[in-house]
Amino acid sequence: MEISLVEAVGAIPARDWDACAGGDNPFTTHRFLTALERSGSVGEGTGWLPRPMVLREGGEVLGVVPLYLKLHSQGEYIFDHAWADAVERAGGSYYPKLQVAVPFTPATGPRLLLRPGQDARGRQALLQGLQAVAEQNGLSSVHITFCTAEEAASAPAPWLSRIGEQFHWENRNYAAYDDFLAALSSRKRKALRKERQAAQGFGGRILHLTGSALRPEHWDAFWTFYQDTGARKWGRPYLTRAFFDEIHATMAEDILLVLAERDGRYVAGALNFIGRDTLYGRYWGAVEDHPFLHFELCYHQAIDFAIAKGLSRVEAGAQGEHKLARGYLPVPIWSLHHLPEAGFRQAVSDYLQREREAVSEDIEALQDLGPFRRDQAI
């Protein structure tokens, strides 16, 4: 097997990349990752330099990795700022580092992308390749974020695994939103009905747009929403305006855009991506403030869509214990980290052990605080 790096996902034929990525997760597809590249959302000047890894044997592409040379720790959602500070205080250089990730996308999915039948052998080859690239180039670390539980469990030493937490909604074979409500305690059920009634009374209508229903004016409106939210959360938005044109051209069938329209004007919106069995909530924004409209567009409408389409779950992005009351329960998320320097690796390993215990306890406690009736709790 031969490992090599190239300078863009776009340099790899789409048929080869997608044969390894499969079709379950929209974010690891060739079309999504190249949309980031072509739009300038990653590349020179962004701190995300594409260096995808390719595994070949006999000229055939057996595996690929969405790999980036990172010059900072922004846009990752599993953060290592404290690790970077420790290295810099000790007189070392933490950046650049290697990041295996889908930029700006806190959604779990495979990161070591392999053709069917290559899992065990190919995975070890890719992990060893990542270690070799870091060590041969004197880089501080390699991070594989939002990987699958299987990838985290199968990575050998010296890789360190890290656990985090998100809130996901699970479809328990509901036929309608009222079936989901019926699984909640009486008090929570009444609260959500009142919340949805208040939100839907904002004075307009809510639209679900996907495929050919999406038009340029919808993206113009959403760009305004995205800029406002991005400026408040991150200082500047990560994605360029051109990114939305790219996904409109290549991913319209993978997109659910939920817009609130009032008096002929779009006033709020939520962008989702549609996977094979999961709806992924990504971005939200608004130019008018209406009670509970955020919860309605991002969480309740996502549940409506997932039930109607028979999807298994909704992943509503990073953070947010406020999701708990709306039926989104805490679940573990995983990452892997390779730190070549032995002393630093041991210090981080000790920290991660304490962190795992704390996160696991938090997940268990929050599960008990969920809105479901006792006979419906997980």
Side-chain angles (χ1 to χ4, degrees):
M1 290 185 172
E2 174 191 353
I3 292 284
S4 61
L5 301 185
V6 296
E7 293 193 354
V9 172
I12 303 168
R15 63 181 181 276
D16 288 332
W17 185 280
D18 288 336
C20 299
D24 292 347
N25 189 301
F27 302 120
T28 54
T29 60
H30 192 271
R31 55 191 180 277
F32 185 87
L33 295 169
T34 55
L36 291 171
E37 294 174 354
R38 288 195 296 263
S39 67
S41 299
V42 299
E44 293 296 329
T46 70
W48 288 82
L49 304 180
R51 295 294 186 270
M53 176 177 284
V54 184
L55 174 67
R56 292 184 175 91
E57 187 172 56
E60 181 184 14
V61 175
L62 300 184
V64 292
V65 177
L67 177 64
Y68 297 83
L69 189 66
K70 282 299 302 295
L71 308 182
H72 52 61
S73 290
Q74 298 171 13
E76 295 169 10
Y77 299 94
I78 294 177
F79 292 115
D80 59 350
H81 295 105
W83 304 357
D85 289 344
V87 171
E88 298 291 339
R89 287 198 305 270
S93 297
Y94 194 70
Y95 306 108
K97 61 176 184 173
L98 292 176
Q99 192 83 23
V100 178
V102 177
F104 327 123
T105 306
T108 291
R111 296 294 180 259
L112 307 175
L113 309 178
L114 294 157
R115 286 184 185 268
Q118 296 296 323
D119 290 356
R121 179 170 171 248
R123 183 179 295 145
Q124 296 310 310
L126 290 173
L127 289 172
Q128 291 168 7
L130 290 167
Q131 289 177 227
V133 171
E135 293 166 13
Q136 291 167 7
N137 291 277
L139 302 178
S140 71
S141 51
V142 189
H143 309 268
I144 306 176
T145 45
F146 293 97
C147 62
T148 65
E150 180 185 8
E151 287 172 327
S154 64
W159 290 88
L160 304 177
S161 65
R162 187 179 191 183
I163 186 175
E165 177 183 61
Q166 275 190 349
F167 294 83
H168 298 172
W169 179 86
E170 297 289 335
N171 187 352
R172 306 180 188 180
N173 297 315
Y174 302 123
Y177 187 87
D178 281 346
D179 295 332
F180 159 62
L181 287 181
L184 307 184
S185 68
S186 175
R187 182 171 62 87
K188 296 295 187 180
R189 183 165 58 246
K190 291 176 181 177
L192 289 191
R193 282 182 172 145
K194 289 180 64 176
E195 179 174 287
R196 295 204 73 179
Q197 183 179 20
Q200 293 175 6
F202 75 101
R205 61 176 182 151
I206 295 173
L207 307 174
H208 283 195
L209 303 168
T210 190
S212 61
L214 289 163
R215 299 192 302 273
E217 59 264 32
H218 300 138
W219 294 116
D220 289 339
F222 190 77
W223 173 245
T224 300
F225 307 150
Y226 172 71
Q227 281 187 300
D228 178 68
T229 301
R232 285 185 285 107
K233 284 190 174 183
W234 315 303
R236 68 174 182 85
Y238 294 132
L239 301 171
T240 66
R241 176 64 180 85
F243 171 78
F244 298 98
D245 292 333
E246 290 286 346
I247 61 171
H248 176 78
T250 63
M251 299 189 70
E253 298 297 333
D254 302 303
I255 291 167
L256 169 67
L257 184 60
V258 181
L259 291 179
E261 181 187 46
R262 191 173 75 89
D263 296 332
R265 177 185 185 226
Y266 299 118
V267 299
L271 175 61
N272 306 267
F273 286 82
I274 307 166
R276 182 162 292 170
D277 68 349
T278 303
L279 184 69
Y280 300 93
R282 284 306 301 115
Y283 299 105
W284 139 271
V287 293
E288 292 182 1
D289 185 21
H290 295 279
F292 305 116
L293 192 58
H294 171 230
F295 300 143
E296 176 65 26
L297 297 193
C298 294
Y299 309 134
H300 302 310
Q301 291 290 324
I303 290 173
D304 285 342
F305 183 87
I307 292 173
K309 299 299 182 181
L311 302 178
S312 297
R313 69 183 58 83
V314 178
E315 295 190 18
Q319 305 171 344
E321 289 189 10
H322 60 278
K323 298 169 186 170
L324 189 67
R326 290 151 189 99
Y328 291 73
L329 297 182
V331 298
I333 57 171
W334 299 95
S335 59
L336 287 167
H337 308 270
H338 172 56
L339 311 170
E341 201 284 312
F344 183 42
R345 181 169 64 248
Q346 185 59 54
V348 171
S349 178
D350 294 342
Y351 166 78
L352 292 180
Q353 177 59 39
R354 296 191 300 272
E355 184 183 54
R356 277 193 292 273
E357 294 170 359
V359 171
S360 296
E361 290 173 1
D362 192 55
I363 289 175
E364 183 176 355
L366 288 171
Q367 287 277 3
D368 292 339
L369 294 174
F372 291 90
R373 302 194 322 258
R374 289 300 175 188
D375 63 323
Q376 295 289 316
I378 294 177

